[in-house]
Amino acid sequence: MAQQVPIIEGGAGGIQGAVDTSVAEKLSSPTPKPTIKVREPLLSEILDKVHRAKNKADKIAILKEDQCEALQQICQWAFNPTITSALPPGKPPYIENEAPEGTEHTLLRTEGNGLWHFVKVNGKLADPNIQRTVMERMFIRLLEGLHKDEAKLLCMVKDKKLVYNQKEKTGIKGLSVPILQEAFNWDDDFKKKDV
């Protein structure tokens, strides 16, 4: 039987009734406060957290927690063998945006919906109506508008260099197709399961 706790009301200290302790605990337990993200992390920051994570479960948890469409798109571009770059390999001739984070730059998470202009799917241009020079200028403008870390990330994605290279110490350590498949619920063809 639950213990009865008196309810004290008013300033005179009079006991007005009683409530069992389970109800009192519910009333006095702190309610979880909703989390409000002040700012969304850069995709480069998310992948840096994945790089520093110690085990597979942590990497998957980070990807699940911070997943967005643009993150999935760059992972598709970097790891899906049917998607290749329509741009020339190597570092594009762009000027890095030196603006501090959170100021005068665009975000890859909001610019991700235009990445399809720069890829080939199964050897065919995803945007067959775009001229090569126009595509290259669009890509350079995109890079110059992004935070410098996201621009570097996008260049790595373009050249499929997100896979960690031990010798050159480049890429994202531990980022692999099985981790992406589990984090984003992808099948072997990089498509959502159960959709």
Side-chain angles (χ1 to χ4, degrees), residues 8-78:
I8 302 172
E9 295 181 342
I15 298 175
Q16 300 296 323
V19 68
D20 76 38
T21 54
S22 63
V23 173
E25 286 173 7
K26 289 178 187 175
L27 294 173
S28 64
S29 298
T31 57
K33 295 181 180 171
T35 56
I36 299 171
K37 287 189 176 183
V38 175
R39 75 170 188 72
E40 295 288 340
L42 299 174
L43 298 188
S44 55
E45 291 174 320
I46 295 168
L47 292 177
D48 186 51
K49 284 186 347 189
V50 169
H51 179 76
R52 288 183 281 122
K54 299 294 182 202
N55 58 50
K56 180 181 177 181
D58 290 345
K59 291 175 188 302
I60 291 168
I62 292 165
L63 290 168
K64 282 183 176 184
E65 177 184 335
D66 291 315
Q67 76 174 297
C68 65
E69 191 173 334
L71 180 60
Q72 292 182 36
Q73 289 171 338
I74 65 167
C75 290
Q76 283 271 352
W77 189 353

Side-chain angles (χ1 to χ4, degrees), residues 15-171:
I15 298 175
Q16 300 296 323
V19 68
D20 76 38
T21 54
S22 63
V23 173
E25 286 173 7
K26 289 178 187 175
L27 294 173
S28 64
S29 298
T31 57
K33 295 181 180 171
T35 56
I36 299 171
K37 287 189 176 183
V38 175
R39 75 170 188 72
E40 295 288 340
L42 299 174
L43 298 188
S44 55
E45 291 174 320
I46 295 168
L47 292 177
D48 186 51
K49 284 186 347 189
V50 169
H51 179 76
R52 288 183 281 122
K54 299 294 182 202
N55 58 50
K56 180 181 177 181
D58 290 345
K59 291 175 188 302
I60 291 168
I62 292 165
L63 290 168
K64 282 183 176 184
E65 177 184 335
D66 291 315
Q67 76 174 297
C68 65
E69 191 173 334
L71 180 60
Q72 292 182 36
Q73 289 171 338
I74 65 167
C75 290
Q76 283 271 352
W77 189 353
F79 288 92
N80 189 336
T82 63
I83 298 174
T84 57
S85 179
L87 297 159
K91 185 179 179 196
Y94 74 99
I95 300 168
E96 280 187 358
N97 185 339
E98 293 296 330
E101 179 190 340
T103 59
E104 300 176 14
H105 57 78
T106 56
L107 299 172
L108 193 49
R109 107 176 18 253
T110 58
E111 299 294 324
N113 59 354
L115 295 179
W116 66 277
H117 293 288
F118 311 118
V119 298
K120 294 178 185 176
V121 180
N122 292 321
K124 295 180 182 176
L125 285 172
D127 183 359
N129 299 321
I130 194 168
Q131 294 178 352
R132 184 171 191 77
T133 55
V134 171
M135 177 191 351
E136 290 176 15
R137 279 195 312 259
M138 282 173 53
F139 191 70
I140 289 170
R141 277 196 310 268
L142 173 62
L143 293 174
E144 289 177 344
L146 292 171
H147 183 273
K148 63 183 178 180
D149 293 344
E150 288 201 318
K152 288 176 187 172
L153 171 65
L154 192 54
C155 288
M156 290 172 59
V157 168
K158 171 186 74 74
D159 292 333
K160 292 203 178 260
K161 292 189 175 185
L162 274 191
V163 175
Y164 187 70
N165 183 323
Q166 179 68 34
K167 188 176 179 182
E168 297 176 16
K169 304 285 188 223
T170 58

